Structures are given as structure tokens and as C-alpha cells.
Amino acid sequence: MLLSLSSRYDAEKCDSLYTLISPELKADDKELAVAIEACLATQPGKPAPELKGHDPLRDIDFSLADLKGKYVVIDFGYMVQGLCVMGLPHIKELYDKYHDKGLEVLAMSSDYDVNVWKQYMESHDMKEYYNILVFEDAIDRPIGTHIE
């Protein structure tokens, strides 16, 4: 129930409610503790969590820490999903306008097919972004396959 309430309350409120849960229930639901910890760690003013992976377009291993000292827009999405691509023209506009002032874009994508993703990124002139394809190793898995 607390997980469902977390969308309506801030992280501190959820954390204070979590402290009221019995140790037995906490032991049974590790997912909730992880979710609250992640929420607390990503509040405004906190250092960004470490994001790292492989950039298939540049063929480099990459970390958010590599951009320390720059302004970074992080775009989480799924490129073949219509809603996820609707904001891309605005991100491109920001990038074009402020890149020379230190702005970088880190695109974190949950696409399963590397080839489809690469084609999309290249055709929409997004090669200059830093990219992490979360499921790069899942190219042969059918869409919808659960990954542990």
C-alpha cells in the first residue's frame, strides 16, 4: 500500500511512514525499502546516482561521472514508444541551443533491439548525445520478455 501512496507523498513522508512498519513486514518486502531508498537518493539537491553502461553508437563504456561539471539532461525512454519520442524535438532544441555552454544529453533507453534503436538515433540526428542502451544484450529476446 505504501508503494501506491508513494506517488502522492514526497520521499520524506514515505520514509517516515516506512519506519512505522513492523520489522517482520519489512523483511518480507525488500522491494519497498529499495524504492524508498532510491526515492530519497534522487531528491532535488542530492548528488545524481551513478548511471553507467555501454554507448553503442560511440562503442565506449560510459558513466554519468564522465560529465561531472557539465549541465546534463537525462532522458529516460523507449524509442519505439510514441509517447517517449514526443519530447525528443524539445531535447534536441535544448541541446542545439546550450551545448556550447556545457549542456550534454544522456539518453537512457529501454529498447530491446539494438539495430532498431541505432537506426532511430541516427535518423533523428541524436548521435551526438551520450547513450546508454539498458538492454543492449537482449537483442535476440522477443519484446515483452522478462529480464531478471
Side-chain angles (χ1 to χ4, degrees), residues 87-99 103 129:
L88 293 178
H90 304 291
I91 292 173
K92 176 83 172 120
E93 184 181 326
L94 280 173
Y95 181 86
D96 291 344
K97 187 173 183 178
Y98 296 108
H99 177 69
L103 179 84
Y129 299 169

Side-chain angles (χ1 to χ4, degrees), residues 2 5 19 40 45-46 76 81 99 120 127 139 145:
L2 186 54
L5 291 174
T19 61
L40 288 169
K46 300 276 186 176
F76 296 93
Q81 175 80 24
H99 177 69
Y120 184 89
K127 299 180 297 280
I139 188 168
T145 300

Side-chain angles (χ1 to χ4, degrees), residues 115-131:
N115 296 320
V116 171
W117 175 84
K118 277 184 179 179
Q119 184 178 25
Y120 184 89
M121 296 300 279
E122 290 170 354
S123 69
H124 287 80
D125 198 25
M126 295 167 56
K127 299 180 297 280
E128 63 271 5
Y129 299 169
Y130 289 91
N131 297 282

Side-chain angles (χ1 to χ4, degrees), residues 2 7-8 12-13 18 22 24 26 33 36 43 56 65 72 80 82 114 116 121 124 128 130 132 134-135 140 148:
L2 186 54
S7 64
R8 290 192 281 174
E12 286 77 22
K13 178 73 171 177
Y18 182 71
S22 74
E24 295 82 21
K26 287 179 186 177
I36 289 174
Q43 293 300 296
V72 181
V80 297
V114 175
V116 171
M121 296 300 279
H124 287 80
E128 63 271 5
Y130 289 91
I132 295 176
V134 177
F135 298 126
D140 296 327
E148 295 295 325

Side-chain angles (χ1 to χ4, degrees), residues 65-79:
D66 296 336
L67 298 177
K68 188 172 182 148
K70 297 194 178 242
Y71 300 99
V72 181
V73 173
I74 303 174
D75 179 39
F76 296 93
Y78 180 53
M79 294 305 150

